Structure formats: structure tokens, C-alpha cells
Amino acid sequence: MKTGIVLISHGSKLSSGNDGLFKVADMLRAMNRWDMVEGAFLQLAEPGFGEVVKRIVEHGIHRIVVVPLLLFKGNHVYKDIPEMMENEKAKYPQAEFLYADNIGADERIALIAADRIYEALIEKQYGGKPRIEQPQDIVDESFEIIDKLVDLQSVPELHRPIIQRAIHATGDTEYAYNLIFHPKAVGAGIRSLKDGKNIVTDVNMVKSGINKGPVEKFGGKIICKIAEKSVAEDANRLGKTRAIVAMQQSIHEMKDGIVAIGNAPTALFELIDLIKKGLAQPALVIGIPVGFVGAVEAKYALKDVSIPYITNTNRKGGSAVAVSIVNALIKLAKE
């Protein structure tokens, strides 16, 4: 069934005060997940809710999700919008209306607020300072800023540098809240590195970003087979991704080592299958692939394996995050 989205905002007499709603609608349209996304105002501005619903129904869309872009619950959320929906249901009995929750008190709102606070203070705190060009000074300044944006005091001590480096690599403070650590993950990773075991990666971008000097000094290697000829040949023959075949061909190299997956959900799914079959025995899995297809599902599946892991539970991730986690573990192993 086709789905239309109606975003509802309060409305303002100032046209500039209404632009934000249309920008959010544009962002949702760009996701290409729904057939139609429109904005409507409760009062003081056009279009109104009824006009937008009429427009959607005229496009042959009969499932309409109403999303109040209102921060907290009040009369608009509890009374006004439901009454408006009932009126439209009477006009269009063939349409199904679904009422989404309002924005509400959400950690992501707190993170946005923290960013806005920092933006307001940055000119006062750093305005007029000379540009920082020395690499270590840039890193130190970055970590000072991260410490001001997120409070990690309640986080286990060995988890903090890993979270900080993930935030530093991405500029995304959400990693303060959505990285998930198996209780034995950090210890397993440090022991594996100190014992000179290998690091296996899903893509060369992850391999290239890892600080190989300390790894080699410990006695380990950083291995990625995705570009090898045999992997490409087997992938074509089997009709599978090279990431899957690369994991299959890296079973021996990953024993008691670290597997870092930052790009390919199929690599993580395959690794999980290999672990469950007893064919792969890494000491730690860093499963942080990015993407819309399979990434979230693979991360949830990872939490069911017996091997220590570090992951998250949303679409975010990527090579930079995987690299940052590995390099944080390397730094801890050197201490």
C-alpha cells in the first residue's frame, strides 16, 4: 500500500519561521522510503492539515502517517491533532490514518541541544585564537571539546577512550550512547594484540587506517583478502559478495585475533555463521558496518554469538569507526 507522510508543525506568521518544516520534509523525501511527504501547519500558516490530506488522497495514497513535529506533549498532541484526524477520516473512509508519536524527551534531542550550546559558546571560548596547525594540538583540542559535549563518567574506564575515538573519527556524539560492548570485549582485544594475533578486516580502507607499527611489533599482521584474485573468482562462481568469500578464506588467520568489519553487513553475517558452526574463532569481533540493507540486522545477530564483540544497533558505522575502535585498543594495549 502506498504511504503518505504528513508532518505537522505549529505555524508562524513569519514565513521564515515555517521554513524548517519544509526543510525536514525535503530531508525525508530524499530518503525515498515513502510515496509522498508533505508539511502542514496547525495555525497561522498554510497549507493546513485538511488541504494536505486532500492532496495526498488525490494522488491515490490511502495510508497516511501523521507525525507531530512538536517537542513535548500538550493540547495539540493530545486533543487538536487527533480531532483533525477524525474529521479527515470521516471525509475519506477509504484511507487509513496512523498517528506517530511526537518528538518527545529523547537522548538525540539532548545531543542536539549540547551541540547548540557548544556552538553558542565556541566564539566566546575560541574566537580570536590563532589557528591550530600542530597535529597533536588538534587532537588534544578535539578531545577537550568531546569531554565538554558528552559525560562519560558513568562509562567503564576502559570503554571511554574507545567511545572518544569513535566520536573523534565521525564528529557524531551519538556514539557516546549507542556503542555496545560485550563485558569481555576490551580485555579480549587487548590480550589478542599483546599475544601477537592478527587483525582481519572486511575492506582495505579499514586495513589502511589501522596503526600497523604496534601491531607488527606485537607480532601480528593486518589482513584483508577482499581484493585477492581467488576471492573475486570464488565470489563470481558462487554468486556471493567478495566480502563473504573473504571472511571464508580468512578463517585460519583470524584465530584468536580481532575481526574488524566497518563496511560490509554480508561479511558480518558470514562471520557470525562461521562462528556458530565452530569454523571461526576470533577473540573479538568489531561489527560496525554501515548501511540501509542488513547492517542493523547483522549487528543484532552479533549479540547472539558467544564471542566478545563491540557494535551498535543502528545504521551508522563505517570504516572510520571500525578503525577508531581498533586504534583505541592498540593504544590501550601499549600502555
Side-chain angles (χ1 to χ4, degrees):
M1 182 184 293
K2 290 184 176 181
T3 300
I5 310 298
V6 182
L7 308 176
I8 299 185
S9 181
H10 188 276
S12 171
K13 291 180 180 179
L14 295 174
S15 60
S16 59
N18 300 318
D19 291 343
L21 177 65
F22 300 125
K23 289 179 181 178
V24 174
D26 286 340
M27 293 174 191
L28 289 173
R29 287 190 199 103
M31 296 179 185
N32 292 317
R33 297 177 64 183
W34 303 281
D35 298 284
M36 198 168 176
V37 179
E38 298 293 329
F41 297 100
L42 286 164
Q43 56 191 30
L44 302 177
E46 298 293 337
F49 182 66
E51 179 183 342
V52 169
V53 170
K54 181 174 183 289
R55 188 185 308 162
I56 290 174
V57 173
E58 287 177 347
H59 277 79
I61 297 171
H62 294 145
R63 180 167 60 191
I64 301 171
V65 182
V66 180
V67 185
L69 292 189
L70 301 169
L71 193 54
F72 301 119
K73 285 183 167 68
N75 281 336
H76 288 320
V77 173
Y78 283 121
K79 182 175 181 291
D80 298 338
I81 297 174
E83 287 180 355
M84 293 162 57
M85 290 174 64
E86 288 300 321
N87 290 337
E88 298 306 313
K89 286 179 185 178
K91 294 179 188 176
Y92 308 105
Q94 76 277 26
E96 176 188 14
F97 287 81
L98 303 174
Y99 192 25
D101 202 358
N102 66 302
I103 296 170
D106 189 292
E107 283 182 350
R108 289 166 290 186
I109 298 299
L111 290 171
I112 293 171
D115 285 343
R116 295 295 181 265
I117 292 166
Y118 172 70
E119 289 164 4
L121 293 172
I122 189 169
E123 183 61 31
K124 181 177 178 62
Q125 292 177 336
Y126 301 104
K129 283 189 177 182
R131 185 170 62 192
I132 301 172
E133 296 182 345
Q134 206 283 328
Q136 190 56 49
D137 289 345
I138 293 171
V139 172
D140 293 343
E141 184 88 355
S142 297
F143 278 87
E144 284 182 22
I145 293 169
I146 291 169
D147 287 340
K148 291 173 183 175
L149 289 175
V150 296
D151 182 4
L152 299 178
Q153 291 305 307
S154 62
V155 174
E157 186 175 354
L158 289 178
H159 294 186
R160 292 175 199 167
I162 296 171
I163 294 170
Q164 288 171 327
R165 284 190 173 270
I167 295 172
H168 181 245
T170 61
D172 188 347
T173 50
E174 278 193 29
Y175 285 103
Y177 304 98
N178 66 26
L179 273 184
I180 298 172
F181 294 79
H182 182 281
K184 297 181 180 179
V186 178
I190 292 172
R191 283 193 301 274
S192 176
L193 289 164
K194 286 185 173 181
D195 289 343
K197 303 303 180 182
N198 298 325
I199 300 172
V200 173
T201 71
D202 61 331
V203 293
N204 280 315
M205 188 176 293
V206 177
K207 177 184 176 182
S208 298
I210 295 172
N211 187 359
K212 70 176 182 178
V215 176
E216 292 176 348
K217 191 172 182 180
F218 283 131
K221 297 178 181 178
I222 306 170
I223 297 165
C224 180
K225 296 190 175 184
I226 197 164
E228 293 188 1
K229 183 179 179 181
S230 62
V231 169
E233 289 173 347
D234 284 355
N236 288 332
R237 177 174 56 82
L238 297 170
K240 296 184 177 182
T241 68
R242 288 186 297 152
I244 290 174
V245 177
M247 285 294 113
Q248 294 171 346
Q249 293 192 11
S250 302
I251 288 173
H252 298 298
E253 290 88 346
M254 69 176 64
K255 181 172 173 55
D256 298 326
I258 296 172
V259 181
I261 296 174
N263 183 270
T266 56
L268 184 53
F269 273 127
E270 182 63 24
L271 177 61
I272 292 166
D273 288 344
L274 292 170
I275 291 170
K276 288 183 175 179
K277 293 174 182 176
L279 299 174
Q281 297 175 323
L284 171 67
V285 177
I286 298 168
I288 205 89
V290 62
F292 291 95
V293 180
V296 173
E297 294 83 353
K299 292 168 185 176
Y300 273 99
L302 178 60
K303 294 191 292 181
D304 290 332
V305 302
S306 58
I307 302 293
Y309 58 80
I310 300 173
T311 188
N312 65 345
T313 54
N314 59 27
R315 296 189 302 266
K316 294 183 180 181
S319 298
V321 187
V323 168
S324 70
I325 294 171
V326 175
N327 284 339
L329 288 169
I330 291 170
K331 190 171 187 298
L332 288 170
K334 289 168 60 182
E335 292 176 353

